[in-house]
Amino acid sequence: ELEKTLGARIVDVDYSNVDSLVAQLQDNNVHTLVSTLGGRSPPEQEHALIQAADRSSVTQHYIPSVWGVKSRPEVSWSPVAAPKLAIFEALEKTQLEWTLVANGFFLDYWGMPKSKSYLSQAILALDVAANKAAIPGTGDTPITFTYSGDVTKFTAKLLTLDKWEPESYIISDRLTWNEIVKLKFDVTYDPTDLLRSGKITKLPSHVYVYKFLPKEALQGMPTQFGLLLAEGVLDFHPEQSLNDLFQLAFMQDETVVPFDLENLFGRLGLDLGDRSGERAEWL
């Protein structure tokens, strides 16, 4: 039934058995493996997929489950970044052609439930429902934002390219926190020293997440992300993004026009104002 809904086949796999994974890839003629393992999946599962794809006689291309940013060695201190760095190291040792999709921060988190999303809800920096914000750092560092629906569309188009770059960027929007909170959020700034101590300002909607994620764990995740954001890790400046590559498709097919912050906040009844000048600066 789910296969009909998704329009795709579902195959049971055992991530603890690399030989079985190799057989599944070859039996199903999987030439490109796109990993979408969740953030709570054990790192061993991704490494098993990488080993299986490299051993498979039919699999040639691999997209790891990164979906955000390419972590650099200088941020290896972060529990968020360290497992990703290990994935890149493992892929470098294979014969696979691979690319990571760097899309920055998912816009979805601030549009739920008015914007369709399959991501789990998380309250990060902006509590739209309570009109409050706890901004990591000074709020002046630009951040790349992309809607998950755009990520799927651009990734599908990425698969049509004859050659992949090591990093594939998707940029729906780029703003600083301070540009966003001018929408009359009640703002608190969390200095990096506070974030390094493992603490953040509690937002009103956090209490609704505690039943899914303990308070200690909820504090830990935003502090790590907050430090990365404050240090500019998600301020992308690629020579060419997938947006650039598929610009013609934008003009021909409105379904691939990026869903940006203006669209998102418009649905929430918020107005970012005239941004035509600043967009021309980075597009």
Side-chain angles (χ1 to χ4, degrees):
E1 185 66 33
L2 184 57
E3 286 187 336
K4 292 180 180 179
T5 302
L6 296 175
R9 289 185 55 217
I10 299 173
V11 179
D12 289 328
V13 299
D14 180 1
Y15 289 105
S16 66
N17 188 330
V18 175
D19 290 337
S20 172
L21 289 171
V22 172
Q24 291 278 25
L25 292 172
Q26 293 180 164
D27 291 347
N28 290 282
N29 196 31
V30 177
H31 60 81
T32 301
L33 199 159
V34 181
S35 176
T36 57
L37 289 168
R40 298 184 187 179
S41 300
E44 293 79 14
Q45 293 185 352
E46 184 87 39
H47 287 275
L49 281 178
I50 293 170
Q51 293 176 43
D54 192 35
R55 286 174 48 187
S56 166
S57 61
V58 298
T59 308
Q60 301 174 7
H61 313 286
Y62 194 99
I63 298 177
S65 186
V66 175
W67 311 107
V69 60
K70 180 173 183 179
S71 299
R72 310 293 180 183
E74 56 266 29
V75 295
S76 60
W77 53 265
S78 167
V80 175
K84 306 302 183 184
L85 289 168
I87 289 172
F88 304 150
E89 184 177 345
L91 283 165
E92 290 286 0
K93 297 176 181 178
T94 71
Q95 299 300 311
L96 297 165
E97 181 181 29
W98 64 279
T99 186
L100 69 93
V101 176
N103 55 265
F105 228 83
F106 283 111
L107 277 174
D108 306 47
Y109 296 126
W110 301 293
M112 299 176 183
K114 293 192 176 182
S115 295
K116 182 179 179 181
S117 179
Y118 295 100
L119 299 181
S120 299
Q121 188 158 10
I123 310 299
L124 301 166
L126 302 180
D127 188 338
V128 177
N131 203 37
K132 292 184 179 293
I135 302 303
T138 65
D140 291 325
T141 304
I143 301 166
T144 295
F145 297 93
T146 307
Y147 174 55
S148 63
D150 289 338
V151 175
T152 61
K153 295 170 185 176
F154 280 107
T155 300
K157 289 191 172 294
L158 171 63
L159 302 183
T160 68
L161 297 178
D162 294 329
K163 185 178 184 302
W164 286 353
E165 297 298 325
E167 302 166 21
S168 300
Y169 290 91
I170 306 172
I171 303 174
S172 289
D173 216 334
R174 183 189 291 119
L175 282 90
T176 68
W177 289 121
N178 285 335
E179 289 174 309
I180 297 172
V181 297
K182 68 183 181 182
L183 298 169
K184 299 181 180 178
F185 282 88
D186 181 5
V187 182
T188 299
Y189 290 91
D190 288 343
T192 53
D193 287 345
L194 178 69
L195 296 173
R196 288 192 178 94
S197 72
K199 298 177 181 178
I200 58 169
T201 298
K202 185 175 73 172
L203 293 168
S205 294
H206 280 167
V207 296
Y208 301 110
V209 185
Y210 291 160
K211 59 183 177 181
F212 306 109
L213 197 63
K215 181 178 179 179
E216 294 74 18
L218 182 64
Q219 288 262 327
M221 182 176 64
T223 58
Q224 299 300 324
F225 277 114
L227 281 169
L228 295 175
L229 294 172
E231 293 176 0
V233 174
L234 271 73
D235 181 15
F236 298 159
H237 294 275
E239 291 185 6
Q240 187 177 54
S241 68
L242 294 185
N243 307 62
D244 302 323
L245 281 173
F246 299 113
Q247 186 174 10
L248 180 60
F250 293 168
M251 295 182 284
Q252 296 177 336
D253 183 356
E254 64 179 10
T255 65
V256 296
V257 175
F259 183 86
D260 58 18
L261 276 161
E262 186 174 344
N263 300 134
L264 178 75
F265 287 136
R267 294 190 182 190
L268 301 175
L270 302 172
D271 183 11
L272 277 172
D274 183 10
R275 301 177 53 218
S276 56
E278 74 180 57
R279 289 187 177 193
E281 185 178 329
W282 65 264
L283 280 176

